[in-house]
Amino acid sequence: QLHLVQSGGGWVQPGGSLRLSCAAPGFFSGDYVIGWFRPGRWKEREGFSCISSTDSSTYYSDSVKGRFTISGDRAKDTVYLQMNNLKPDDTALYFCGVMPLMSDVETLCTRVEFGSWGQGTQVTVSS
């Protein structure tokens, strides 16, 4: 099972930017999906941005589309989340999670419970 270690986060004013990192040794050597999660309306954690290790296919929820970008560095086995134009509603404890690539990225990101998580990192957006 992959071990995820998060870094980044912090405090930023509305409209500002932050970048989160999720180091996952072995991610790009196998068939996995890594997703970024925060509390959702109907779930304790809801995936809003996910990426596949095989072809870098991505998914974004409507709430972050156009503002956030998920990417990966194969040499570092690390997935990043670039967060731009941050809003107060983005304030949350953010987690990265990983699961085997068993379906398409959107299905896994939105409908499947992930089982392995990073430690979480706080993002606070306020003036």
Side-chain angles (χ1 to χ4, degrees):
Q1 184 77 309
L2 300 188
H3 179 64
L4 309 183
V5 179
Q6 296 180 227
S7 61
W11 173 85
V12 68
Q13 291 183 293
S17 298
L18 291 170
R19 190 172 80 157
L20 308 183
S21 297
C22 181
F27 175 67
F28 286 105
S29 299
D31 297 345
Y32 298 100
V33 166
I34 277 182
W36 290 98
F37 294 74
R38 64 190 186 186
R41 177 67 177 87
W42 303 109
K43 300 179 181 178
E44 182 178 3
R45 299 176 185 177
E46 190 167 79
F48 61 87
S49 186
C50 295
I51 188 169
S52 166
S53 68
T54 57
D55 61 0
S56 295
S57 296
T58 59
Y59 164 81
Y60 299 96
S61 70
D62 290 340
S63 65
V64 307
K65 193 175 299 180
R67 299 190 298 126
F68 294 3
T69 302
I70 189 169
S71 63
D73 186 327
R74 293 180 180 271
K76 296 181 178 180
D77 264 329
T78 298
V79 171
Y80 303 96
L81 183 70
Q82 179 65 46
M83 311 165 68
N84 297 327
N85 192 24
L86 283 160
K87 306 174 180 179
D89 285 349
D90 294 319
T91 296
L93 185 64
Y94 284 68
F95 291 86
C96 62
V98 65
M99 73 174 305
L101 182 62
M102 302 181 296
S103 186
D104 63 276
V105 172
E106 179 175 350
T107 297
L108 296 175
C109 199
T110 61
R111 302 179 183 272
V112 177
E113 181 180 355
F114 283 43
S116 185
W117 304 94
Q119 77 275 25
T121 184
Q122 179 66 37
V123 171
T124 302
V125 185
S126 68
S127 58

